[in-house]
Amino acid sequence: MSIWEYANPKKFMQTSAWALPWVTGLAAITLVAGLVWGFFFTPEAANFGTTVKIIYIHVPSAMMAINIWVMMLVTSLIWLIRRHHVSALAAKAAAPVGLVMTLIALFTGAIWGQPMWGTWWEWDPRLTSFLILGLFYLGYIALWQAIDNPDTAADLTGVLCLVGSVFALLSRYAVNFWNQGLHQGASLSVDKQENVSDVYWYPLLLCITGFILLFIMLVLTRTRTEVRLRRLKALEARERLA
Amino acid sequence: MLAIESLAVARGGVAILEGVSFALSAGQALVLRGPNGCGKTTLLRTIAGLQPPLAGRIVAPGDVIAYGAHADGLKATLSVVENLHFWAAVYGQPARVATALAEMNLAALAHRAAMSLSAGQKRRLGLARLLVTGRPVWVLDEPTISLDAASVELFANALRAHLGTGGAALIATHIDIGLVATATLDLTAHKARAPQDGGAAGGFDEAFA
Amino acid sequence: MIALLARDLRLAVRAGGGFGLSLAFFLIVTVLVPFGVGPEGGTLARIAPGILWVGALLACLLSLDRIYALDFEDGSLDLLATAPIPMEAVVSVKALAHWLTTGLPLVLAAPVFGVLLHLPGPAFVWLVLSLGVGTPALSVLGAFGAALTVGLKRGGLLLSLLVLPLYMPTLIFGAELIARGASGGATTTPLLMLAGITAATVALVPFAAAAAIRVNLR
């Protein structure tokens, strides 16, 4: 019993069909619970006001924006090395979700930044890196769309994801060097949880879990669609040939 | 020199030929036949190493194959002799340019720019490119397209000379080149079966296995 | 490989506009900026490093889709792939040819354009150094982007979308190097970073580009 069994499309379709309702339900419960708790049952921070509550969307979406790219990198590598179609299709399915997460992070950041810093947009390293990450997502998605042959597209986007990852990371450091900004450090991320008091931390954790489940649900659904489309394309190609 | 063992090839992720086996030894030529779209070009590209086979093996020593495609890879702004010199340099055979020009009856056109050549003359230049590679196994895709009768004769002579000096050739063509010792392989017999009928799985077929 | 380089350079010269077009484009970008931001010398001097880098970058981008497109159309790329030169070498040579016909003229012409933008005196050395060290990375990354899009009918716009994000680190360190040189700041870090990016790019990216071409020829 190997983990690669699940890379077989048939097996994947069966397993994901079984798992999808559970993931969807769990995602809905944790998201609703986390957001309601965060929005209505946490005290207002002294120096931030009500606006702080946007972190329950801002932080999880920002985390997902980065993590989804990492997930795409891993699945692209699996495709390039082991040639599992599902892996490449999962990367394809995840990209638009990642782009949307990046946009949510940027927009909620702007909405939060306006009252806090008095500006919608600042060329701050964190903001700028997210903008660049968004551009990488755009290029990746555009390359998938442009190429007809699905295997060629999978290979080329895989290579782009690999090279893009290195340059996205490089951009992150270059941007840091270019402008030391005004965004607070990673005070809200998991590894620095002691900076945030428990009152805010638990609902935030719930929201992060909710976003992760939401992503899994979306990516499973989208991958199932991509698998079906790919199958359709293979059947059509055979039809033309026969 | 070149042995093909139960090769299956795919176009666009779908298997189109399977169970293709043959062997070429020095002095032999093999002509591939079959209707348009049966997979001649795909088979030749696979043998030339441009795409991986779906199944089976291609056994050949390294650096023996010279591939000649539909497109001749000529640069319009370079002269005939410049085009040939480039490929001769790539294959490390600069001395062969003069003989190739003579064999393909291009000496008079040597300093004309390739863009001013007729289609048939371009084709002859493309075949001259093959001569300068110095490779023993020619893998040719429709080499006689747009050649007149005299030029086909030139090509047949060059091919005979090539086979006579221990070369081999694999040619996809529709016309009779007039070679005596030529074997023919009809690819219609090797049309790939659908995977459910036991054919090789290609592209996304493994998917629903 | 030398034969391939010589052929590509000869083709660039014969095609006309190989050297000239990018340079003319760079000139026009540089000339347009003062019309956009006003002729005031101080402002121009401050934004000159960025303008010169962005101009060089766009001029470089302009000719990228020609790196393999013609060789792909006339079948040369197929024949090169079956020739005894590794595809990595083909990519490297083509990137070098692109740099010689595009990057190098930009580097040499940049000081003249610097004068137009009131670039301060001490910055000129850094301008040439920065472009000279940075533009090879632009050509190699461009060759990678062109390799990804070589089979596409209208790859030009997509190519820009793919390549420009990859140019960002080079642009940041390159422009920063000139800006620091102009104001007498510490130039070691950006120079080393720029050189490091170029060295790593030239060494590694051709492998990715060659892989992309092989996939596209399949």
Side-chain angles (χ1 to χ4, degrees), chain B residues 110-189:
Chain B
H111 295 286
R112 286 259 297 273
M115 66 180 124
S116 67
L117 299 182
S118 74
Q121 289 166 334
K122 279 183 186 156
R123 194 80 259 228
R124 263 152 57 202
L125 178 50
L127 294 171
R129 185 197 68 83
L130 210 61
L131 295 173
V132 302
T133 62
R135 294 272 177 101
V137 180
W138 290 357
V139 173
L140 303 180
D141 199 354
E142 309 277 5
T144 52
I145 261 181
S146 64
L147 290 183
D148 57 19
S151 299
V152 170
E153 191 51 39
L154 271 181
F155 167 66
N157 286 338
L159 189 58
R160 264 190 288 274
H162 177 67
L163 298 178
T165 53
L170 176 63
I171 305 165
T173 182
H174 294 289
I175 69 154
D176 189 13
I177 315 172
L179 289 179
V180 200
T182 315
T184 301
L185 179 68
D186 192 345
L187 289 178
T188 35

Side-chain angles (χ1 to χ4, degrees), chain A residues 7-11 13 83-86 89 149 151 227 230-231 234 237-238 241-242, chain B residues 11-16 37 191 193-196 200 202-209:
Chain A
N8 175 289
K10 203 171 189 175
K11 180 89 178 162
M13 292 302 269
R83 316 301 288 177
H84 292 305
H85 285 92
V86 171
L89 294 175
N149 184 322
D151 280 2
V227 168
R230 182 71 181 78
R231 174 70 174 156
R238 188 167 298 290
L241 213 65
Chain B
R11 186 174 59 208
V14 179
I16 47 172
K191 187 171 165 50
R193 291 162 297 166
Q196 58 266 30
F204 204 57
D205 292 323
E206 57 99 6
F208 288 77

